[in-house]
Amino acid sequence: MRMRATERPNDTQNERAYRRLKDDILALRLKPGDAVNEAALCAEFGIGRTPVNKALHRLMHEGLVRILPRKGVLVQPLSMDEFAHLIEVRRLTEPPCAALAAERITEADLARLDALLAEAPAGPVAELGPILDADRRFHAVIAEASGNRVLAEVLAGLHGRSVRFWALSLATGQHLAEVAEEHAAIRDALRDRHPERAAAAMAAHIDSFARTLASRLA
């Protein structure tokens, strides 16, 4: 099985199968509602049924697949109700997190954000996986910079549940350019140690995400 960027050299077969499947689901190569054929996955990955089966059960507990006894496995459909609830919770948690980060962020954290912004594409891309991973790392740096580990863990879970919706919103290069500008505004507020601006920039970023996806699904 060829290693992807999200995989690690010392991963076990179980872990590689899990990461490969999760990457395919989050990047929408396996779309909501798609049937998952275990035998085909085993052949594609070049491994036995046990690692694939364990990976599917892990993904079931994360809410990404549905295992139907005697019927097979389906990629969990997307729910607009869930998306609305995720946006509500992100509005309540991420702007205060950005405000805390503005007070506590280090120069090393700012350098990490600068590096992520420098490598982000601003136009159409063929592969969503690296884009989704870069966005995760950008928000993770901010969450860690808040100095609140509990909040960082909560936000990591929210981001994980939002990724498939995020992938749907990345259909155009225009939106990627908007995201780059929004990320830069957040970085600038953090660099200036301005909590109110950081919170407002993060709220604007979340609202932009919500509007873009709503327009895509209209």
Side-chain angles (χ1 to χ4, degrees):
M1 178 168 54
R2 183 172 61 86
M3 191 178 299
R4 291 185 178 177
T6 53
E7 297 171 359
R8 301 165 185 167
N10 60 346
D11 280 347
T12 63
Q13 282 194 340
N14 291 349
E15 191 67 19
R16 287 192 184 183
Y18 164 75
R19 289 179 183 277
R20 178 77 173 267
L21 277 167
K22 186 170 184 176
D23 186 38
D24 284 346
I25 291 170
L26 295 182
L28 302 180
R29 286 183 290 271
L30 285 172
K31 294 179 173 54
D34 277 358
V36 178
N37 185 308
E38 289 190 56
L41 290 175
C42 292
E44 179 184 350
F45 296 172
I47 57 178
R49 295 184 68 91
T50 298
V52 171
N53 189 263
K54 287 184 176 181
L56 289 170
H57 277 82
R58 284 179 68 180
L59 294 169
M60 178 187 69
H61 290 300
E62 293 178 16
L64 291 175
V65 302
R66 183 184 298 171
I67 297 177
L68 305 173
R70 296 181 297 280
K71 292 185 179 180
V73 181
L74 295 177
V75 177
Q76 184 70 33
L78 291 174
S79 161
M80 290 310 297
D81 283 344
E82 180 184 7
F83 176 69
H85 295 160
L86 284 169
I87 290 297
E88 284 182 355
V89 178
R90 290 185 64 174
R91 283 177 175 142
L92 289 171
T93 53
E94 290 194 68
C97 177
L100 285 174
E103 297 172 350
R104 301 169 179 176
I105 198 164
T106 67
E107 290 300 322
D109 291 330
L110 288 168
R112 290 165 67 193
L113 292 179
D114 286 340
L116 288 167
L117 290 178
E119 67 185 45
V125 293
E127 178 57 57
L128 285 179
I131 304 301
L132 299 173
D133 186 59
D135 182 75
R136 177 191 62 77
R137 287 184 287 149
F138 182 87
H139 286 274
V141 170
I142 297 170
E144 292 166 11
S146 75
N148 188 316
R149 286 187 298 174
V150 174
L151 181 56
E153 290 172 3
V154 169
L155 293 181
L158 286 173
H159 187 278
R161 294 183 65 169
S162 300
V163 168
R164 288 196 297 165
F165 295 104
W166 170 230
L168 277 178
S169 75
L170 292 175
T172 67
Q174 178 184 355
H175 185 49
L176 273 178
E178 291 169 353
V179 169
E181 292 177 1
E182 292 158 9
H183 279 184
I186 295 167
R187 185 275 319 274
D188 290 347
L190 295 173
R191 183 186 58 206
D192 294 342
R193 319 285 177 173
H194 200 299
E196 291 80 9
R197 273 178 52 210
M202 184 63 77
H205 179 47
I206 296 166
D207 289 344
S208 173
F209 170 36
R211 286 194 305 272
T212 300
L213 186 61
S215 66
R216 285 272 298 140
L217 299 177

